[in-house]
Amino acid sequence: MRTLFLAGNWKMNTNSVSSINLAAGLVRELAEIQNVRIAVCPPFVYLQSVSASLCGSQIELGAQNVYFQKNGAFTGEISCEMLIDCGCTYVIIGHSERRHILGETDELINLKIRAAAAAGLKPIFCVGELLEERDKGQTFDVVERQIRKGLDGISPEQAAAVTIAYEPVWAIGTGRNATPQQAQEVHECIRRLITEMYGSETAGNLTIQYGGSAKPANTAELLAEPDVDGLLVGGASLKVEDFAAMVKTAAAIKK
Ligand code: PEP
């Protein structure tokens, strides 16, 4: 059985005070939740202070990006070891904003996933199609290419630590979420692909999150789908009451 997993991607938001307030508010609101995996992914510069605020709670810490080299002359970059040192369990890799605004390629994303897996960080590996790709009927081809290239060289043991987040680019930050049926259709294909690549046990245990304008009002219907195992949440993760409501909704769902 898969445990539902909700992760908040704070993106380039919050400051030194509001990041701590947000983390502390979630710790307070979610103290009683036991059957949902929860993580928050603040900006790099607030990882340590948020980590301290989460101490003793079940909310885990993730970063929004990582570089694949261990150390050295890579100005501005952050290594897996540094993230672990700051208390991170997870790292988001291949987010569409990094693919489409910062120009990250499938090859670079693969190097990052390999580095994270080798270091013992759990990747939240984002995939998803652009609107024009969906309109041309290319959704599954795009997602399959991203997954095959992203997981190239990843062993079955390493794959077991990976969460895949299906995030249709047209749904991110737009207020227009994929319908539960659209999400389910792609999640089912992803699980079938992982079965082909790694076998049915790994695929059966794989957490596949949906991301794209998820909010309290659509959480229950999205999570009701059999292959939607959680949510990667942007905008709605910046408000304690919204993200806490989503986690509580998840906790009440029996699959
Ligand atoms: C995201 O950034 O991963 C995301 C899904 O954003 P939003 O929830 O704001 O659409």
Side-chain angles (χ1 to χ4, degrees), residues 125 127 139-152 159 164 185-204 206 208 227:
F125 169 32
V127 297
T139 298
F140 304 131
D141 293 341
V142 169
V143 168
E144 175 168 357
R145 188 206 71 226
Q146 291 171 335
I147 291 178
R148 285 196 187 276
K149 290 197 167 178
L151 296 183
D152 184 40
I164 293 182
E185 194 182 23
V186 180
H187 285 222
E188 205 180 323
C189 282
I190 292 174
R191 207 175 302 283
R192 211 175 308 124
L193 176 61
I194 297 297
T195 307
E196 200 187 298
M197 292 169 69
Y198 292 105
S200 54
E201 192 179 334
T202 303
L206 174 74
I208 309 175
D227 288 294

Side-chain angles (χ1 to χ4, degrees), residues 111-250:
L111 290 173
K112 293 181 176 196
I113 294 176
R114 287 183 189 218
L121 269 175
K122 297 178 179 173
I124 299 176
F125 169 32
C126 301
V127 297
E129 80 287 2
L130 297 163
L131 185 56
E132 57 263 37
E133 292 168 332
R134 174 162 281 266
D135 288 344
K136 284 189 211 150
Q138 297 171 340
T139 298
F140 304 131
D141 293 341
V142 169
V143 168
E144 175 168 357
R145 188 206 71 226
Q146 291 171 335
I147 291 178
R148 285 196 187 276
K149 290 197 167 178
L151 296 183
D152 184 40
I154 294 294
S155 70
E157 294 71 32
Q158 291 173 326
V162 174
T163 294
I164 293 182
Y166 168 57
E167 300 207 302
V169 180
W170 47 272
I172 298 178
T174 59
R176 174 187 166 193
N177 63 286
T179 65
Q181 294 69 32
Q182 285 172 322
Q184 169 59 25
E185 194 182 23
V186 180
H187 285 222
E188 205 180 323
C189 282
I190 292 174
R191 207 175 302 283
R192 211 175 308 124
L193 176 61
I194 297 297
T195 307
E196 200 187 298
M197 292 169 69
Y198 292 105
S200 54
E201 192 179 334
T202 303
N205 290 330
L206 174 74
T207 296
I208 309 175
Q209 295 175 321
Y210 165 78
S213 299
K215 48 186 177 276
N218 56 27
T219 295
E221 59 180 22
L222 285 162
L223 293 179
E225 294 296 330
D227 288 294
V228 178
D229 310 315
L231 301 169
L232 181 55
V233 187
S237 72
L238 293 170
K239 284 195 186 145
V240 172
E241 58 275 28
D242 284 355
F243 193 62
M246 295 168 84
V247 173
K248 287 175 188 173
T249 298

